[in-house]
Amino acid sequence: MTLTTLNAISPIDGRYRNKTITLANYFSEESLIKYRVLVEIEYFIALCNIPLPQLETFDASLFDDLRSIYENFSSEDAQAIKEIEKVTNHDVKAVEYFIKQEFDKLGISKYKEFIHFGLTSQDINNTAIPLSIKEALQEVYLPELVSVLEKLKELATEWAAIPMLARTHGQPASPTRLGKEIEVFITRVEAQVESISGIPHAAKFGGATGNFNAHKVAYPAIDWKAFGNDFVERILGLHHSFPTTQIEHYDHLAGIFDGLKRINTILIDLDRDFWTYISMDYFKQKIKAGEVGSSAMPHKVNPIDFENSEGNLGIANAIFTHLSAKLPISRLQRDLTDSTVLRNVGVPFGHTVIGFQSTLKGLTKLLLNEKKFAEDLENNWAVVAEAIQTILRRESYPNPYEALKGLTRTNEKINEASIAEFIDTLTISDTIKSELKSINPNNYTGI
């Protein structure tokens, strides 16, 4: 069976393939292989620049040719490595053998035993995968998130002055402004982005048990820890974890995943709020010709984008949770559970990107129903009771809270007239009465 968007098992490679295709450049099997080739090539070049005695004669003008192996890496190259893997039954060893074949083509066979010199597979995996995650965050994830934030900022500015009845515990509460309520989500997300940006993209690089054993026994005079730091941090642009076991300890990566999960949680909160506002008729939704809201009820225009986002972000968070809980745990110096789990790292990114795009689509379709905002405020004059009793407290009026409680906790309709009548019964100056009567649900919105 040829894989298509119709027969793929996962929706991120099927139904939603067009939304996640850019992530294939970082998290597909082919891309993982390419990142491994990159690390192996750059490692060989770094050995030449020490230089090791056996590599002093290597022609540095060939470095560009070596880099072209990963820069021009093709699907055919990836398939060739998979064919080698059928024999080796080892994915990283297959990469090594492929590069050795490329050395043969370049006529530099005598140097090929310094490919993967002194390394274990995890030196390649634990640099290739963090590099792919770092670049995916920078080149796909953040641009998608920024698009959501920019739309939120646009709406927050556009609706900055719209007064709105707040609801705490689902009940009418002190009025707020629609733009400010959107700013809350912007601030929350930006704080988490800043937090994540401070977490290093860490990589392990140090041989079979992290101690550069093979390197030191072959060349004891070389400072291999300094070499590792320089290679990982300057050349690859990652943070060198040291000391480690055979694998990266993944504590920093777990922190990144937890941060991404918090951003998703914030957007789920946003999705649910806007879903609720739509159900309250605060917003209508733009209608696209030909679209159907319900197979049975022709009138319906469902808030499906916010629902789609909530569902996908929830799936992403479930996987991010497992990744951050599992990866930092490994039996003794190494077990294989991290390897199989990391092969799924693109899955939560895929569901996250789908979620971002759905939230953005939902926000773009919103049509403000300002009349409904005004009606809710007008029907809930009781919310100015807080303002009145606070001013009465300022004026040392006796038992103001209890007086307002008696007024507002009745089954009678509270409106502008009943509030004014209550104010007139108070033993206060006409100036204070005028001050109290100037307060209404539209202007009692704070700062």
Side-chain angles (χ1 to χ4, degrees):
M1 180 185 292
T2 301
L3 181 64
T4 71
T5 56
L6 290 176
N7 60 33
I9 294 174
S10 168
I12 62 174
D13 288 320
R15 181 179 181 87
Y16 302 124
R17 178 66 172 177
N18 64 324
K19 299 178 182 293
T20 61
I21 185 66
T22 53
L23 290 171
N25 295 325
Y26 309 92
F27 300 124
S28 65
E29 179 78 0
E30 179 178 316
S31 295
L32 174 57
I33 294 171
K34 178 181 178 179
Y35 276 103
R36 286 167 169 164
V37 172
L38 181 159
V39 174
E40 292 278 17
I41 293 294
E42 290 297 339
Y43 172 63
F44 177 86
I45 293 172
L47 290 177
C48 292
N49 288 329
I50 292 179
L52 297 183
Q54 290 82 353
L55 297 176
E56 287 179 339
T57 59
F58 189 86
D59 184 359
S61 67
L62 293 173
F63 288 167
D64 286 344
D65 293 325
L66 292 180
R67 289 191 170 105
S68 70
I69 296 173
Y70 67 79
E71 290 172 345
N72 300 322
F73 194 77
S74 66
S75 296
E76 291 73 23
D77 292 332
Q79 188 57 51
I81 291 174
K82 295 302 291 184
E83 291 299 317
I84 297 171
E85 187 183 339
K86 289 179 181 179
V87 178
T88 62
N89 196 31
H90 196 288
D91 47 7
V92 176
K93 200 66 177 177
V95 169
E96 177 187 342
Y97 287 170
F98 169 80
I99 298 174
K100 285 182 175 180
Q101 292 175 359
E102 295 299 304
F103 271 44
D104 291 339
K105 295 176 185 178
L106 291 170
I108 51 177
S109 300
K110 70 176 183 177
Y111 301 107
K112 65 185 183 182
E113 288 308 318
F114 283 89
I115 302 166
H116 201 72
F117 179 79
L119 301 183
T120 186
S121 301
Q122 288 310 104
D123 294 313
I124 304 304
N125 289 331
N126 285 166
T127 45
I129 293 174
L131 186 57
S132 71
I133 293 172
K134 177 184 178 181
E135 294 184 349
L137 283 169
Q138 293 172 341
E139 297 168 18
V140 178
Y141 175 91
L142 283 176
E144 293 279 3
L145 181 58
V146 166
S147 294
V148 177
L149 288 172
E150 287 177 346
K151 184 61 181 179
L152 288 172
K153 290 176 182 179
E154 174 191 322
L155 296 177
T157 300
E158 181 181 350
W159 297 332
I162 302 296
M164 170 184 172
L165 181 69
R167 292 183 183 272
T168 59
H169 307 277
Q171 306 302 307
S174 299
T176 182
R177 283 164 288 109
L178 179 56
K180 172 260 172 176
E181 294 305 310
I182 296 174
E183 286 178 6
V184 170
F185 291 105
I186 297 169
T187 301
R188 292 173 67 189
V189 170
E190 289 183 336
Q192 293 307 315
V193 171
E194 182 178 359
S195 176
I196 292 171
S197 68
I199 302 175
H201 290 273
K204 175 266 179 180
F205 196 82
T209 54
N211 308 326
F212 291 102
N213 300 49
H215 294 80
K216 183 171 179 59
V217 75
Y219 296 100
I222 294 176
D223 186 345
W224 287 108
K225 182 177 183 294
F227 170 85
N229 282 336
D230 182 72
F231 175 66
V232 172
E233 300 195 358
R234 182 178 63 84
I235 297 175
L236 298 183
L238 302 169
H239 169 76
H240 186 208
S241 293
F242 193 89
T244 67
T245 60
Q246 186 181 103
I247 64 172
E248 163 63 23
H249 44 63
Y250 300 118
D251 297 331
H252 293 308
L253 186 56
I256 292 172
F257 290 156
D258 285 338
L260 298 179
K261 186 174 67 173
R262 282 193 295 273
I263 290 174
N264 286 350
T265 299
I266 293 166
L267 290 182
I268 289 172
D269 195 22
L270 180 147
D271 290 332
R272 291 179 179 177
D273 275 8
F274 275 98
W275 186 98
T276 304
Y277 292 146
I278 291 169
S279 76
M280 294 163 61
D281 206 26
Y282 278 7
F283 296 100
K284 305 293 186 180
Q285 296 179 92
K286 295 176 184 177
I287 301 173
K288 186 175 180 181
E291 285 190 350
V292 175
S294 166
S295 64
M297 294 171 281
H299 69 283
K300 296 193 72 178
V301 182
N302 296 329
I304 57 174
D305 300 303
F306 295 112
E307 294 169 343
N308 180 282
S309 174
E310 179 182 342
N312 275 284
L313 295 177
I315 292 174
N317 277 5
I319 300 174
F320 278 138
T321 296
H322 179 66
L323 289 169
S324 64
K326 186 272 147 303
L327 287 173
I329 300 171
S330 181
R331 296 171 182 85
L332 305 181
Q333 282 69 51
R334 201 266 192 272
D335 67 36
L336 196 65
T337 52
D338 67 309
S339 179
T340 190
V341 168
L342 280 173
R343 287 185 178 277
N344 292 280
V345 72
V347 177
F349 278 93
H351 285 289
T352 295
V353 166
I354 295 167
F356 288 174
Q357 293 176 10
S358 294
T359 294
L360 179 59
K361 186 177 179 181
L363 293 172
T364 303
K365 289 164 62 175
L366 292 175
L367 295 172
L368 183 69
N369 186 6
E370 196 165 353
K371 179 182 177 182
K372 182 62 177 177
F373 281 84
E375 287 178 357
D376 269 6
L377 287 167
E378 185 61 29
N379 290 332
N380 286 278
W381 269 81
V383 296
V384 303
E386 178 192 44
I388 295 171
Q389 66 101 2
T390 302
I391 291 176
L392 292 178
R393 283 173 182 262
R394 183 193 73 192
E395 299 299 317
S396 300
Y397 190 89
N399 303 315
Y401 177 88
E402 288 71 19
L404 270 297
K405 179 181 176 183
L407 168 69
T408 57
R409 286 202 174 189
T410 68
N411 291 323
E412 296 181 8
K413 179 70 174 179
I414 304 297
N415 54 31
E416 183 177 10
S418 59
I419 289 288
E421 290 174 7
F422 171 78
I423 292 171
D424 285 335
T425 67
L426 300 174
T427 309
I428 54 177
S429 69
D430 289 342
T431 301
I432 301 301
K433 287 181 180 180
S434 295
E435 181 182 359
L436 294 178
K437 289 179 180 180
S438 71
I439 302 168
N440 63 63
N442 286 282
N443 64 23
Y444 182 52
T445 57
I447 59 174

